[in-house]
Amino acid sequence: MTKLHDLQNNDVMKKSQDSHNQSQPVQTSINLWALSAAVGIRILVPVLIFVLGGIKLDKQFHTLPWITISAIFVSFVISIILIARMITSYNSPNKS
């Protein structure tokens, strides 16, 4: 009787471990999507702000397209800095 009980407990443990191993790839996939979204936002927001601002300034000063082109380069630099900060925050050990 105890051998049967031990076998049943062993099967339950294996099923529990299998379900945990199957949920790990799903969690990793969600983390990758969240990381991709964070990088995309850090690129999109500065580019949109600076391009729209550049277009408005170009129309105001009649310099189309020079301020917009300069603003695009500035937005790329800002995006690179934001992404670099994000990478260093992920690589640094938690301070708790």
Side-chain angles (χ1 to χ4, degrees):
M1 183 75 170
T2 58
K3 287 185 180 183
L4 179 61
H5 183 68
D6 290 340
L7 287 173
Q8 288 173 343
N9 283 341
N10 194 14
D11 287 341
V12 169
M13 292 288 285
K14 283 182 182 177
K15 287 179 183 177
S16 172
Q17 289 173 350
D18 288 343
S19 67
H20 176 69
N21 289 340
Q22 289 173 355
S23 68
Q24 181 126 6
V26 172
Q27 183 66 29
T28 303
S29 175
I30 291 171
N31 288 341
L32 287 175
W33 278 105
L35 184 61
S36 299
V39 169
I41 288 171
R42 282 172 174 80
I43 294 171
L44 179 70
V45 170
V47 170
L48 281 178
I49 290 171
F50 278 84
V51 166
L52 294 175
I55 291 171
K56 183 174 182 176
L57 289 173
D58 273 331
K59 286 181 181 178
Q60 183 177 354
F61 294 116
H62 306 289
T63 57
L64 200 66
W66 298 111
I67 295 176
T68 303
I69 291 172
S70 301
I72 290 171
F73 286 118
V74 171
S75 69
F76 287 156
V77 170
I78 290 172
S79 293
I80 290 169
I81 291 169
L82 291 174
I83 293 169
R85 283 184 182 176
M86 184 179 72
I87 290 170
T88 56
S89 71
Y90 278 114
N91 287 337
S92 67
N94 293 337
K95 297 177 182 177
S96 16

